[in-house]
Amino acid sequence: MKHIIILGDGMADHPVERLGGKTLLQYANKPYMDMLAKKGKTGRLVTVPDGFHPGSEVANSSIMGYDQNEVYEGRGPLEAASIGYELEPTDLALRCNIINVQDGKIITHNGGNLETEDADVLIKYLNDTLGKKYPDVKFVTGIQYRHLLVVKHGNKHIDCAPPHDHPNEEWHKLMVKPILPEIGGDEGHISRRDTADLLNQLILESQELLENHPFNVARKERGERMANLIWPWGGGYRPHMLTLSQMYPQIKKGSVISAVDLIRGIGHYAGLRNIIVEGATGLANTNYEGKAAAAIQALKDGDDFVYVHVEASDEAGHDGDLELKLKTIENLDQRLIKPIFDEVSTWDEPVCIAVLPDHPTPVEIRTHVKEPVPFIIYYPGIEPDSVEKYDEVSCVSGGYGMLQLQEFMNAFMAIN
């Protein structure tokens, strides 16, 4: 049996008064998710272990079966792996957002929805200026607003605030702090305080450089949000991870499909082939049909396992856009799940399908929360439970009950 996980990043939510007290999954028109819930077996899953921030890197790698206490190194190294940047053992790799700040506050974590080609100009400019001024610093272009900052001999024991968790907050109060005291064991790395001081200096100097760049000057003249500050976070060293094939021998060949660097990075270390889909953006305008077609083709080409990740709902949640997030859920259902299910249902070899988010990103909070998520597992012949709809409330009664972390992947891959 082949296996496919379809993940709607941040899709889960809270009850919303504007929707009559329903969650978005309860309110949305999603016939295929509901059909899979009725035909399959559901439950809830804790995706974030105690002591960890509910980030997508933690939740997605937990869903794939990884113990965060063994493998977690932050988002930065995953971004590096995705874009093919080979880290040295003493490199500190950080996710580097280009964000928008106004009147001393973080307005958006995405620089006004930067396009990659525009961001590339800004990142190269920062590398030509700050990278030359500070020789141990390198900026590397990623996708849209998500980029890579590498500090040679940097220290990972620092406190960096994820910008998407702090909309409308004063950014000066959120700057990098060393995790003290310095307790040794950091051989090959500069001190925690020196690392924090360097990163804060880069943040401060980036504001003047970016605001005076012609790209942002033109944006300001048009009344658009500027991409006017860097924000490094999610730092770590190169992780040591087993591949999924080593963990689950039934996976002899697998793929990951995502527009997001950190998911591609997890896939790289997990030994999965990264499939790049034209028009996949990580936003609501992503190419759902292209991702569905790529997943179907991967299974036809002999993959035993495919991980399809769609970022759109998470971005809409961070923007606080209720209508857009509803649309992303409906698009996932009808433009991605539908064609995949309709195709694999005709095959002789059965395909086991799982649908779930990695964490909730409630539109009225605009940030990730550490709460269980609902999931579906379906394959031909499964004994269904009593659940008839897919949402946060219905799945409380699911036959799987409440699973913890790696238990999901263990249960999923045990289906043969």
Side-chain angles (χ1 to χ4, degrees):
M1 184 177 296
K2 295 177 181 288
H3 294 76
I4 182 169
I5 293 176
I6 301 171
L7 190 133
D9 200 299
M11 184 167 59
D13 214 295
H14 290 166
V16 176
E17 186 175 344
R18 287 172 286 170
L19 302 180
K22 293 182 177 181
T23 70
L24 281 75
L25 282 172
Q26 288 179 302
Y27 189 89
N29 178 31
K30 50 179 197 349
Y32 271 75
M33 292 188 213
D34 290 340
M35 176 268 295
L36 288 172
K38 187 172 183 178
K39 289 187 172 185
K41 195 172 177 180
T42 67
R44 293 190 297 161
L45 174 64
V46 174
T47 61
V48 180
D50 290 342
F52 285 83
H53 183 82
S56 292
E57 74 283 14
V58 170
N60 279 271
S61 57
S62 292
I63 289 167
M64 284 193 198
Y66 289 100
D67 183 341
Q68 299 308 300
N69 291 297
E70 295 179 357
V71 306
Y72 181 75
E73 283 289 348
R75 291 197 181 199
L78 302 176
E79 310 276 351
S82 172
I83 61 182
Y85 187 92
E86 290 296 328
L87 294 172
E88 297 295 329
T90 56
D91 283 347
L92 171 65
L94 301 108
R95 157 73 84 81
C96 184
N97 283 37
I98 304 181
I99 69 174
N100 171 252
V101 296
Q102 295 178 33
D103 300 324
K105 295 183 178 181
I106 295 176
I107 304 302
T108 72
H109 67 287
N110 60 24
N113 288 325
L114 273 179
E115 296 294 339
T116 301
E117 55 268 28
D118 296 325
D120 183 51
V121 173
L122 299 179
I123 289 294
K124 287 177 176 175
Y125 174 61
L126 292 171
N127 208 47
D128 287 341
T129 51
L130 296 177
K132 288 182 178 177
K133 182 176 180 179
Y134 302 97
D136 287 337
V137 166
K138 185 175 181 63
F139 293 88
V140 184
T141 302
I143 296 176
Q144 295 167 333
Y145 63 88
R146 313 174 188 95
H147 307 284
L148 175 67
L149 172 59
V150 179
V151 180
K152 293 187 179 300
H153 306 289
N155 196 307
K156 72 175 182 179
H157 298 290
I158 51 177
D159 183 10
C160 303
H164 54 267
D165 286 347
H166 299 277
N168 299 316
E169 294 185 32
E170 295 181 24
W171 63 269
H172 279 94
K173 295 180 179 180
L174 298 168
M175 293 178 72
V176 184
K177 302 175 183 63
I179 297 174
L180 298 175
E182 306 264 1
I183 56 175
D186 295 334
E187 291 82 5
H189 300 275
I190 62 176
S191 75
R192 304 172 184 196
R193 187 173 298 280
D194 286 347
T195 301
D197 288 346
L198 173 59
L199 293 174
N200 287 329
Q201 191 63 32
L202 294 172
I203 292 171
L204 293 171
E205 293 187 30
S206 76
Q207 185 176 27
E208 182 177 359
L209 290 168
L210 290 174
E211 288 190 348
N212 290 300
H213 190 280
F215 171 78
N216 278 316
V217 172
R219 272 197 163 193
K220 185 176 182 180
E221 290 174 351
R222 295 193 298 267
E224 298 174 359
R225 289 174 174 168
M226 294 187 291
N228 59 351
L229 196 76
I230 65 163
W231 199 263
W233 61 286
Y237 311 143
R238 181 186 175 93
H240 300 284
M241 293 169 57
L242 295 176
T243 66
L244 285 183
S245 293
Q246 291 171 316
M247 296 166 63
Y248 304 98
Q250 56 269 55
I251 301 177
K252 296 177 175 61
K253 181 183 176 187
S255 298
V256 63
I257 300 170
S258 177
V260 177
D261 277 343
L262 77 92
I263 306 299
R264 293 177 182 174
I266 294 170
H268 171 82
Y269 288 119
L272 302 176
R273 176 173 56 114
N274 270 295
I275 299 176
I276 308 302
V277 174
E278 185 177 355
T281 64
L283 300 172
N285 64 353
T286 196
N287 184 358
Y288 293 91
E289 292 82 4
K291 287 189 173 185
I296 291 166
Q297 192 60 50
L299 293 170
K300 285 182 175 179
D301 289 344
D303 280 12
D304 308 295
F305 175 82
V306 177
Y307 195 87
V308 186
H309 171 270
V310 179
E311 177 78 358
S313 294
D314 186 61
E315 290 294 325
H318 285 307
D319 286 342
D321 193 328
L322 175 66
E323 290 75 18
L324 183 61
K325 187 171 180 182
L326 282 170
K327 186 65 175 177
T328 64
I329 292 170
E330 293 173 351
N331 282 338
L332 182 73
D333 183 86
Q334 293 156 48
R335 296 172 59 187
L336 192 141
I337 295 174
K338 178 183 187 298
I340 290 174
F341 177 82
D342 288 350
E343 172 64 28
V344 303
S345 295
T346 68
W347 295 358
D348 292 334
E349 182 175 8
V351 177
C352 186
I353 301 171
V355 177
L356 75 165
D358 51 348
H359 52 69
T361 308
V363 291
E364 295 186 332
I365 298 177
R366 295 182 59 189
T367 188
H368 302 175
V369 295
K370 187 176 178 178
E371 297 172 358
V373 297
F375 69 86
I376 310 164
I377 292 178
Y378 165 82
Y379 60 88
I382 189 173
E383 183 176 344
D385 56 25
S386 61
V387 174
E388 298 197 352
K389 290 185 177 294
Y390 175 65
D391 56 64
E392 302 86 348
V393 177
S394 298
C395 290
V396 170
S397 303
Y400 279 107
M402 180 79 79
L403 297 186
Q404 301 286 328
L405 305 167
Q406 299 97 303
E407 290 178 349
F408 170 82
M409 189 67 168
N410 293 339
F412 185 60
M413 293 312 304
I415 299 168
N416 292 309

